[in-house]
Amino acid sequence: MSRPATPDVAGDEPPAALTLPTLADGTELVGEFKNSGYREKPHLVSLPNRQLVRLPPVLFLVAKALHEHEPRPGEDVQSALDRVAAEASAAAGARLTGEQIVYLVDRKLAPLGVTTYSDGTAPPVVKADPFLALRFKIAVFPESVTWFVGGLFGWLFRPVALALMIVAVVASETWVFTTRSLPLAMQHTIMNPVSILLIMGLGIASVAFHEVGHATACRYGGVRPGVMGCGIYLVWPAFYTDITESYRLGRGGRLRADLAGVYFNGIFIVGLTLLYLQTGFEPLLVAVLYVNLEIFQQLLPTLRFDGYYIMSDLIGVPDLFRYIGPILRRTLLRRPADARLDDLKRWPQFFVTLWVLTIVPVLVFQLVLIATQVPNLVAKDWWMMRRLAAEASQGAGALQLVTSSLQIVLLVLPLIGLAMILFQFGRALVRLLIRYVNGPAPEPVPDA
């Protein structure tokens, strides 16, 4: 699944001319971010590209007042701004003037892409660039298709069907992992190129069904799922479903959307088990093991898999990775607490700190573990390439050549992924060191 990170407010120089700002075309005011982990309840705005912006209540009320108050015939801009200021002041319980509305628009809202500038200039196109996010995304199915597909499987979330399916998943898993057929099936399957290709195909089908689960959970919760497509996560091909709209839901609805993919993987396992009981086809058992590995991967909280979003939605903090720097600076460098940490409630702040101090060593350990296997992976790649060339020269079958080629690709990808992760961590470390050398940023000078 895919969710954009929510950027914070930024500043820019105000323009000189004066018009009444308006919401950017296609921008939608979502409302309060329910069950959030922030001290001050944030509000969300959806930009035309479905990017979510998190705003403090006052800024959200200003944007709402601008949206609801258009200039009256013959009314000058200053009078219109005063009306907007009066409306926002009444809603926020604070005193705002027309000049302050202009300031908030030009310094806060417009740079985020929420409104136009006060001189009528269109806002910039804002796109978040979260750490370790999915790249090079291509939409395959539009929102209309995901909405339709989500409706086909919505009944699986009804309480009775949900309970029966969970029982069926537990029974299937218990039978598969207690039967003596699994080791024998693995031995026979590995020696057969056709079986390997079949298992990989079933694995891809399971991942696609996983994404259908996310879309279905969104529709069941009453929000519209976005596009479904594919992209590159680090270097591995990956499917995704845009479930940004799940932020409209409360904590329970968001967690249902997070867990729906794994739930649908479980349903896929039930189908494979029943098919094996009918046919006795051993590769189906190995496919069950393959899908279980997918589930285990998705539940890992280290990278942006489902487990990460489950942790995020439990505490109501959208982007946990953005707190790695502030927490490490406070914990390791003994710097004062970052304002971003002070924005969090006490227990979410404790939880995020625990997550960072746990995940960073785990990530480092994983990187070291992969790095120590680099010579072995390179040797295996070279051996596989030589074997593939020898098989091709001896007239090996097409399926055998395809299987060997896929194995080489799967061996090469971890090396490329390791290089990409090390590059991103290295860049983040350099930025951290630069900030440490430069010291705390000076306080901004108020405008004259």
PDB file of all heavy atoms in Angstrom, residues 30-36 41-44 60 247-249:
ATOM      1  N   VAL A  30     -10.142  18.240   4.423  1.00  0.00           N
ATOM      2  CA  VAL A  30     -10.548  16.933   4.939  1.00  0.00           C
ATOM      3  C   VAL A  30     -11.144  17.061   6.333  1.00  0.00           C
ATOM      4  O   VAL A  30     -12.203  16.534   6.629  1.00  0.00           O
ATOM      5  CB  VAL A  30      -9.344  15.966   4.948  1.00  0.00           C
ATOM      6  CG1 VAL A  30      -9.734  14.635   5.587  1.00  0.00           C
ATOM      7  CG2 VAL A  30      -8.829  15.764   3.531  1.00  0.00           C
ATOM      8  N   GLY A  31     -10.449  17.759   7.225  1.00  0.00           N
ATOM      9  CA  GLY A  31     -10.942  17.908   8.589  1.00  0.00           C
ATOM     10  C   GLY A  31      -9.956  17.371   9.601  1.00  0.00           C
ATOM     11  O   GLY A  31      -8.782  17.128   9.301  1.00  0.00           O
ATOM     12  N   GLU A  32     -10.425  17.170  10.809  1.00  0.00           N
ATOM     13  CA  GLU A  32      -9.555  16.776  11.913  1.00  0.00           C
ATOM     14  C   GLU A  32      -8.944  15.391  11.687  1.00  0.00           C
ATOM     15  O   GLU A  32      -9.611  14.461  11.223  1.00  0.00           O
ATOM     16  CB  GLU A  32     -10.345  16.781  13.223  1.00  0.00           C
ATOM     17  CG  GLU A  32      -9.509  16.422  14.446  1.00  0.00           C
ATOM     18  CD  GLU A  32     -10.346  16.378  15.712  1.00  0.00           C
ATOM     19  OE1 GLU A  32     -11.351  17.108  15.783  1.00  0.00           O
ATOM     20  OE2 GLU A  32      -9.978  15.609  16.632  1.00  0.00           O
ATOM     21  N   PHE A  33      -7.674  15.252  12.010  1.00  0.00           N
ATOM     22  CA  PHE A  33      -6.991  13.967  11.978  1.00  0.00           C
ATOM     23  C   PHE A  33      -7.336  13.245  13.274  1.00  0.00           C
ATOM     24  O   PHE A  33      -6.830  13.558  14.343  1.00  0.00           O
ATOM     25  CB  PHE A  33      -5.481  14.204  11.847  1.00  0.00           C
ATOM     26  CG  PHE A  33      -4.656  12.939  11.853  1.00  0.00           C
ATOM     27  CD1 PHE A  33      -5.182  11.739  11.408  1.00  0.00           C
ATOM     28  CD2 PHE A  33      -3.354  12.960  12.310  1.00  0.00           C
ATOM     29  CE1 PHE A  33      -4.426  10.582  11.408  1.00  0.00           C
ATOM     30  CE2 PHE A  33      -2.588  11.818  12.314  1.00  0.00           C
ATOM     31  CZ  PHE A  33      -3.125  10.624  11.864  1.00  0.00           C
ATOM     32  N   LYS A  34      -8.220  12.241  13.180  1.00  0.00           N
ATOM     33  CA  LYS A  34      -8.778  11.590  14.359  1.00  0.00           C
ATOM     34  C   LYS A  34      -7.750  10.704  15.052  1.00  0.00           C
ATOM     35  O   LYS A  34      -6.913  10.076  14.417  1.00  0.00           O
ATOM     36  CB  LYS A  34     -10.002  10.760  13.958  1.00  0.00           C
ATOM     37  CG  LYS A  34     -11.108  11.577  13.300  1.00  0.00           C
ATOM     38  CD  LYS A  34     -12.221  10.686  12.793  1.00  0.00           C
ATOM     39  CE  LYS A  34     -13.285  11.489  12.068  1.00  0.00           C
ATOM     40  NZ  LYS A  34     -14.342  10.629  11.489  1.00  0.00           N
ATOM     41  N   ASN A  35      -7.851  10.671  16.384  1.00  0.00           N
ATOM     42  CA  ASN A  35      -6.990   9.814  17.215  1.00  0.00           C
ATOM     43  C   ASN A  35      -5.511  10.062  16.950  1.00  0.00           C
ATOM     44  O   ASN A  35      -4.705   9.129  16.909  1.00  0.00           O
ATOM     45  CB  ASN A  35      -7.307   8.335  16.986  1.00  0.00           C
ATOM     46  CG  ASN A  35      -8.771   8.002  17.173  1.00  0.00           C
ATOM     47  OD1 ASN A  35      -9.438   7.567  16.242  1.00  0.00           O
ATOM     48  ND2 ASN A  35      -9.288   8.227  18.372  1.00  0.00           N
ATOM     49  N   SER A  36      -5.147  11.316  16.778  1.00  0.00           N
ATOM     50  CA  SER A  36      -3.746  11.633  16.494  1.00  0.00           C
ATOM     51  C   SER A  36      -2.922  11.607  17.773  1.00  0.00           C
ATOM     52  O   SER A  36      -3.451  11.667  18.884  1.00  0.00           O
ATOM     53  CB  SER A  36      -3.630  13.013  15.835  1.00  0.00           C
ATOM     54  OG  SER A  36      -3.757  14.042  16.796  1.00  0.00           O
ATOM     55  N   LYS A  41      -4.572  19.192  18.168  1.00  0.00           N
ATOM     56  CA  LYS A  41      -5.252  18.377  17.169  1.00  0.00           C
ATOM     57  C   LYS A  41      -5.009  18.933  15.760  1.00  0.00           C
ATOM     58  O   LYS A  41      -5.430  20.056  15.464  1.00  0.00           O
ATOM     59  CB  LYS A  41      -6.758  18.341  17.447  1.00  0.00           C
ATOM     60  CG  LYS A  41      -7.131  17.607  18.740  1.00  0.00           C
ATOM     61  CD  LYS A  41      -8.623  17.583  18.936  1.00  0.00           C
ATOM     62  CE  LYS A  41      -8.997  16.846  20.232  1.00  0.00           C
ATOM     63  NZ  LYS A  41     -10.474  16.833  20.455  1.00  0.00           N
ATOM     64  N   PRO A  42      -4.329  18.173  14.909  1.00  0.00           N
ATOM     65  CA  PRO A  42      -4.081  18.670  13.550  1.00  0.00           C
ATOM     66  C   PRO A  42      -5.287  18.439  12.648  1.00  0.00           C
ATOM     67  O   PRO A  42      -6.152  17.607  12.926  1.00  0.00           O
ATOM     68  CB  PRO A  42      -2.890  17.835  13.087  1.00  0.00           C
ATOM     69  CG  PRO A  42      -3.041  16.548  13.827  1.00  0.00           C
ATOM     70  CD  PRO A  42      -3.690  16.878  15.149  1.00  0.00           C
ATOM     71  N   HIS A  43      -5.317  19.202  11.566  1.00  0.00           N
ATOM     72  CA  HIS A  43      -6.350  19.042  10.548  1.00  0.00           C
ATOM     73  C   HIS A  43      -5.657  18.761   9.213  1.00  0.00           C
ATOM     74  O   HIS A  43      -4.529  19.197   8.983  1.00  0.00           O
ATOM     75  CB  HIS A  43      -7.213  20.294  10.453  1.00  0.00           C
ATOM     76  CG  HIS A  43      -8.125  20.491  11.625  1.00  0.00           C
ATOM     77  ND1 HIS A  43      -7.655  20.789  12.895  1.00  0.00           N
ATOM     78  CD2 HIS A  43      -9.479  20.433  11.733  1.00  0.00           C
ATOM     79  CE1 HIS A  43      -8.679  20.910  13.719  1.00  0.00           C
ATOM     80  NE2 HIS A  43      -9.789  20.692  13.060  1.00  0.00           N
ATOM     81  N   LEU A  44      -6.352  18.037   8.363  1.00  0.00           N
ATOM     82  CA  LEU A  44      -5.767  17.590   7.104  1.00  0.00           C
ATOM     83  C   LEU A  44      -6.415  18.298   5.919  1.00  0.00           C
ATOM     84  O   LEU A  44      -7.619  18.559   5.906  1.00  0.00           O
ATOM     85  CB  LEU A  44      -5.931  16.078   6.947  1.00  0.00           C
ATOM     86  CG  LEU A  44      -5.308  15.211   8.042  1.00  0.00           C
ATOM     87  CD1 LEU A  44      -5.623  13.747   7.792  1.00  0.00           C
ATOM     88  CD2 LEU A  44      -3.818  15.436   8.133  1.00  0.00           C
ATOM     89  N   PHE A  60      -5.935  25.833   9.456  1.00  0.00           N
ATOM     90  CA  PHE A  60      -7.056  25.158   8.799  1.00  0.00           C
ATOM     91  C   PHE A  60      -8.295  26.041   8.787  1.00  0.00           C
ATOM     92  O   PHE A  60      -9.011  26.119   7.774  1.00  0.00           O
ATOM     93  CB  PHE A  60      -7.353  23.837   9.506  1.00  0.00           C
ATOM     94  CG  PHE A  60      -8.437  23.025   8.851  1.00  0.00           C
ATOM     95  CD1 PHE A  60      -8.151  22.188   7.784  1.00  0.00           C
ATOM     96  CD2 PHE A  60      -9.748  23.110   9.299  1.00  0.00           C
ATOM     97  CE1 PHE A  60      -9.148  21.443   7.179  1.00  0.00           C
ATOM     98  CE2 PHE A  60     -10.756  22.371   8.705  1.00  0.00           C
ATOM     99  CZ  PHE A  60     -10.456  21.532   7.632  1.00  0.00           C
ATOM    100  N   TYR A 247      -7.022   8.167   5.992  1.00  0.00           N
ATOM    101  CA  TYR A 247      -6.764   9.139   7.056  1.00  0.00           C
ATOM    102  C   TYR A 247      -8.045   9.860   7.480  1.00  0.00           C
ATOM    103  O   TYR A 247      -8.060  10.523   8.516  1.00  0.00           O
ATOM    104  CB  TYR A 247      -5.724  10.167   6.607  1.00  0.00           C
ATOM    105  CG  TYR A 247      -4.308   9.691   6.745  1.00  0.00           C
ATOM    106  CD1 TYR A 247      -3.499   9.499   5.641  1.00  0.00           C
ATOM    107  CD2 TYR A 247      -3.770   9.417   8.003  1.00  0.00           C
ATOM    108  CE1 TYR A 247      -2.191   9.056   5.764  1.00  0.00           C
ATOM    109  CE2 TYR A 247      -2.469   8.983   8.146  1.00  0.00           C
ATOM    110  CZ  TYR A 247      -1.681   8.801   7.021  1.00  0.00           C
ATOM    111  OH  TYR A 247      -0.396   8.364   7.152  1.00  0.00           O
ATOM    112  N   ARG A 248      -9.093   9.740   6.702  1.00  0.00           N
ATOM    113  CA  ARG A 248     -10.388  10.308   7.100  1.00  0.00           C
ATOM    114  C   ARG A 248     -11.034   9.477   8.207  1.00  0.00           C
ATOM    115  O   ARG A 248     -11.951   9.940   8.879  1.00  0.00           O
ATOM    116  CB  ARG A 248     -11.335  10.372   5.902  1.00  0.00           C
ATOM    117  CG  ARG A 248     -10.877  11.279   4.765  1.00  0.00           C
ATOM    118  CD  ARG A 248     -11.856  11.183   3.604  1.00  0.00           C
ATOM    119  NE  ARG A 248     -11.442  11.986   2.478  1.00  0.00           N
ATOM    120  CZ  ARG A 248     -11.814  13.251   2.257  1.00  0.00           C
ATOM    121  NH1 ARG A 248     -12.597  13.853   3.136  1.00  0.00           N
ATOM    122  NH2 ARG A 248     -11.402  13.904   1.197  1.00  0.00           N
ATOM    123  N   LEU A 249     -10.586   8.237   8.362  1.00  0.00           N
ATOM    124  CA  LEU A 249     -11.188   7.324   9.322  1.00  0.00           C
ATOM    125  C   LEU A 249     -10.545   7.474  10.693  1.00  0.00           C
ATOM    126  O   LEU A 249      -9.479   8.065  10.846  1.00  0.00           O
ATOM    127  CB  LEU A 249     -11.028   5.880   8.840  1.00  0.00           C
ATOM    128  CG  LEU A 249     -11.557   5.569   7.434  1.00  0.00           C
ATOM    129  CD1 LEU A 249     -11.185   4.143   7.032  1.00  0.00           C
ATOM    130  CD2 LEU A 249     -13.067   5.763   7.383  1.00  0.00           C
TER     131      LEU A 249
END
